[in-house]
Amino acid sequence: MNEPSSVPEQVDAVVVGAGFSGLYMLYRLRQLGMSVKVFDSAGDVGGTWYWNRYPGARCDVPTTDYAYSFDPELEKAWTWSEKYATQPEILDYLRFVADRYGLRSDIEFSATVTSARWDEQEKRWRITIGCGTEMRCRYYVMATGCLSLPKSPDIEGADRFAGQVYFTSRWPHEGADLTGQRVAVIGTGSSGIQSIPLIARQASQLTVFQRTANFSIPAHNGPASADRLKQLGGDRDGYRHAARWSRGGIPMEPTDVLGVTAGEAVRRERFEAAWELGELFGILNVFADQAVDPASNDIVAEMIREKIRSIVKDPETAEMLSPKGHYFGTKRPCLDTGYFETYNLPHVRLVDLRKQPIVSITEDGIETADESFGFDAIVYATGFDAMTGPLVAADVAGRDGLSLKEKWAAGPSTYLGLMTAGYPNFFMLTGPGSPSVLSNMTVSIEQHVDWVAGCLKDMREEGFETIEPTTLAESGWNQHVQDCAAITLLPTANSWYMGANVPGKPRVFMPYIGGVNAYRQACDDIVGQGYLGFRMTGPGGDRCRDGVIRRMQPDVAMVLEFLAAMGLPPMETLPPADARALMAATAATRPPGPKVGEVTDGAIPGPSGDLPYRLYRPAGPPEGLRPLVVYFHGGGWVLGNLDSDDPLCRDLCERSGAVVVSVNYRHAPEARFPAAALDAFAAVQWADANALELGGIPGQLAVAGWSAGANIATVACQLARGAGGPHISGQVLICPVVDSDMTRLSYEENGDGYILTTALMRWFWDHYADPADRSEPRAAPLRGDLHGLPPTCIVAADFDPLRDEGVAYARALEAAGVPVRLTRARGHTHTSVTMVGTVISGAPVRAEIAEALKNFFPSAEPLEHARQRR
Ligand SMILES: Cc1cc2nc3c(=O)[nH]c(=O)nc-3n(C[C@H](O)[C@H](O)[C@H](O)COP(=O)(O)OP(=O)(O)OC[C@H]3O[C@@H](n4cnc5c(N)ncnc54)[C@H](O)[C@@H]3O)c2cc1C
């Protein structure tokens, strides 16, 4: 322990924590010429690597990558001995770093920060250390780590045990000699899995108590990977740059092989290669879709279970060790050295706590529901109150005295995982809402430290003293974090990412899963936009550019990037025939949509010739009658056909349980206005007249359409109302064209860059209708008489030029007394909601559409009643 230093009363910055984050933060703040004080409860530097001294403790990111990269000279001065270094070696490294840069003089050890209060008068933080020493500082940085607050064992009688008790996260510095002892290990997360093989070597009997079987793959430890060393040696800067702009913080080519479509040989080959490589990011990248598609995930999961069964000789133990009930990767997978093999040893036994829960810990052992066990030592490998735990434990109170604990009662709320509104000048390194534990932490730590240092430098140069995010920016970021998680399987698990390991902790997915690269880009963009979403104040005045940095759904953004990279010609530059061919070619490569009971093609007699239709019947008894939905595809009256919206029709049919009849109407420019609208009306009349033959319940007919298809769907409703029939129970209008006025704000905001552009809309109108006709209600239904129209569901997408006319139509319908459900497709474009199987975030919107459809109809009548009514 250092001698207690004469604590200056006031410094520029206080940093809590002297692990990877705190050490580098100190280094960077000093470079800015700031006075800094670092506090750590630990007796030395190292953080995680100071505390976690259990046998087998190692990193699980290769050490070539799990190290600082800010100083090339440091990299030259240190050589790692293994692919995955041990805890003592990593601790030595951090001590070496502290000494090399003379950091210790500003660090006080064995000093716990117990509270921090923002003083609005002084514009400073008042920090309390230990039992009462106070400090004041302008900037308060929590480098307190994501996995630094051990979870206390919530087991009855835990303090009663008379033998030795060990916590993997607080292992004695002098080590623990377990030779010849009867040892219990409780917990099979990362620390348990790393320590169990080594504890088994000493113990005379080892009993492992497992609540959840975890996925683990062999680390194949040894010398550092020759391939990585070669890349680093050849081009260090390039390698580090690639790491910074990778998804996980390690240079790696993401695969585009889909588990669901790959052949068996490819699947096996990719899995075996990842198993042999022994790297977490490798096994998480066997297939591009394994984190989002349950079927793909299960292929990898089952191959791992196969491996476990092949290693563990006792089938019952193998079964207990085979993870079930959570998708692979939704809890942090482990890297091990001989973990599963350990269970083949005669003195090692596994107890499944789901079958045989612990009743209590006794003076000399553990009582389960079925058995009493005697032990000399109990090792708790029970994990951490992750991410938020150390932050709220340090009792931080912001501007209005509100504690972080209170603010985060329903889950963490941050801007970028770096700051939180109401807590000026308070920074969190790798806080919730940043990639943190889903990444190679050293890369994420350096990025955060660099960002904070850059921010403080900019503030000083521009004369600002305080910085704080706005609530708008923060809630936008929280939403983005959740949107990114929601398209993956990760929130489905009871993981510590979700806070599920701590009783009473709110279930919120805490880390940012959008990738280190996407995250870095967001942080850079925020700075590039004048610190978007931050309020800065100082003697020179206030500055606040309020806004949300990422409003688009992450998978929609990916689709846009993908399309941009393809460099396709803009549709409006092509003749209609070529545009149709291009659309058909792209449609051929997309996922087919869900299976339905039956799909049949037919023809409807239209006003001037037959109109092809495709009927989708939901799964279920073929004789059962269902509500009927007549659907019209999108494509600006020019493009599209029965195939173009096929996945969407399947999805609508499957979700709503209705029979969907998709009608191919005449297209422009061959058949101009009002051909498509007249065809739509004819199709609706025909469907109504032939409901029973189509499997529909007579009188239960709705219309639906997307884009221009929604235009003719609602025109058909207006015509039916005018003609006194048929009766239409409801209309679903997905991103409809309802007006020819292209001056609304949404055209200005979204007219370029989101697939449907202003130029393309103009091209569509020019092909469809003469300018003189465009204000006619059969072209611009918003301008028609809206009284007496059926209940309506309108979907308006944020990034659609047509957004505002959809909203205007909803308002106008409401004003005319029509019941309206306006569904906002948050973060979507004109096309993305319809991209079934590609854009996962569209699914909740389509679920709402299906719900609206169901609500149009009274509950289904029994078949006989319907027949009789007819
Ligand atoms: C066993 C284990 C293995 C890991 N392996 C990897 C890996 O391979 N790759 C990877 O990327 N990540 C790994 N991690 C995550 C690891 O925590 C980070 O990589 C990294 O070490 C975090 O550094 P840090 O400085 O942010 O936090 P920490 O290293 O956790 O340091 C935080 C420090 O803050 C101190 N502190 C907290 N609260 C207070 C307070 N109120 N007052 C005073 N001091 C306080 C703590 O004592 C601690 O020393 C592992 C974690 C564990 C537990």
Side-chain angles (χ1 to χ4, degrees), residues 17 19-21 40-41 47-48 51 54 59-61 66 111 113 144-145 441:
F20 268 103
S21 305
D40 200 309
S41 320
T48 292
W51 295 109
Y54 58 86
C59 55
D60 58 14
V61 164
Y66 188 64
V113 174
T144 42
M441 291 281 282

Side-chain angles (χ1 to χ4, degrees), residues 557-581:
M558 275 185 245
V559 168
L560 289 182
E561 270 170 39
F562 178 76
L563 288 174
M566 283 172 77
L568 298 172
M571 286 273 185
E572 66 274 15
T573 61
L574 302 174
D578 292 359
R580 286 170 189 156

Side-chain angles (χ1 to χ4, degrees), residues 629-632 648 652 702-707 709-711 713-714 717 728-736 790-795 821 845-846 848-854 856-857:
V629 176
V630 181
Y631 175 85
F632 302 101
L648 178 64
L652 280 181
V703 296
W706 166 49
S707 191
N711 169 279
T714 195
C717 287
I728 299 173
S729 304
Q731 51 174 344
V732 165
L733 311 175
I734 307 169
C735 304
T792 304
C793 168
I794 293 183
V795 177
R821 173 178 184 146
V845 180
R846 294 195 303 276
E848 269 198 55
I849 294 171
E851 201 48 43
L853 274 173
K854 286 183 194 165
F856 289 155
F857 307 112

Side-chain angles (χ1 to χ4, degrees), residues 534-817:
F534 284 105
R535 174 169 294 111
M536 295 189 186
T537 65
D542 292 5
R543 189 178 78 191
C544 179
R545 261 212 73 201
D546 207 355
V548 172
I549 188 67
R550 293 286 181 263
R551 289 169 49 234
M552 186 169 279
Q553 291 286 349
D555 47 359
V556 175
M558 275 185 245
V559 168
L560 289 182
E561 270 170 39
F562 178 76
L563 288 174
M566 283 172 77
L568 298 172
M571 286 273 185
E572 66 274 15
T573 61
L574 302 174
D578 292 359
R580 286 170 189 156
L582 181 61
M583 192 159 151
T586 20
T589 59
R590 73 200 159 164
K595 284 204 172 68
V596 294
E598 189 189 4
V599 179
T600 48
D601 283 357
I604 294 172
S608 57
D610 280 355
L611 304 173
Y613 76 83
R614 182 167 296 163
L615 182 143
Y616 303 83
R617 194 186 312 283
E623 72 281 5
L625 296 184
R626 314 291 188 120
L628 201 58
V629 176
V630 181
Y631 175 85
F632 302 101
H633 63 77
W637 308 281
V638 178
L639 313 173
N641 50 37
L642 293 183
D643 293 330
S644 58
D645 291 20
D646 182 78
L648 178 64
C649 289
R650 288 169 178 276
D651 191 85
L652 280 181
C653 169
E654 197 227 0
R655 286 179 192 274
S656 69
V659 171
V660 174
V661 180
S662 168
V663 178
N664 198 16
Y665 46 91
R666 282 171 293 163
H667 292 133
E670 295 85 351
R672 286 167 63 85
F673 172 82
L678 297 181
D679 285 359
F681 184 43
V684 173
Q685 287 174 306
W686 176 85
D688 178 64
N690 294 278
L692 268 182
E693 292 70 27
L694 296 169
I697 301 169
Q700 293 200 8
L701 175 78
V703 296
W706 166 49
S707 191
N711 169 279
I712 59 173
T714 195
V715 170
C717 287
Q718 294 193 7
L719 294 175
R721 189 265 334 266
H727 167 74
I728 299 173
S729 304
Q731 51 174 344
V732 165
L733 311 175
I734 307 169
C735 304
V737 188
V738 285
D739 199 12
S740 47
D741 173 3
M742 300 188 2
T743 62
R744 288 189 171 83
L745 182 65
S746 53
Y747 266 99
E748 203 179 296
E749 287 178 356
N750 307 320
D752 194 18
Y754 304 114
I755 302 180
L756 178 66
T757 59
T758 305
L760 183 57
M761 244 354 262
R762 204 165 281 131
W763 187 81
F764 285 145
W765 274 114
D766 289 347
H767 280 305
Y768 183 51
D770 292 340
D773 292 330
R774 292 182 197 173
S775 42
E776 234 241 62
R778 287 182 303 170
L782 176 62
R783 302 179 191 216
D785 172 12
L786 307 184
H787 292 89
L789 289 182
T792 304
C793 168
I794 293 183
V795 177
D798 281 356
F799 293 92
D800 184 358
L802 305 182
R803 178 194 67 205
D804 291 352
E805 65 195 69
V807 173
Y809 198 47
R811 300 281 170 260
L813 283 164
E814 266 168 357

Side-chain angles (χ1 to χ4, degrees), residues 156-175:
E156 157 70 22
D159 50 356
R160 221 180 293 153
F161 183 61
Q164 294 296 318
V165 174
Y166 301 101
F167 291 85
T168 50
S169 52
R170 294 290 180 271
W171 204 258
H173 288 203
E174 62 284 6

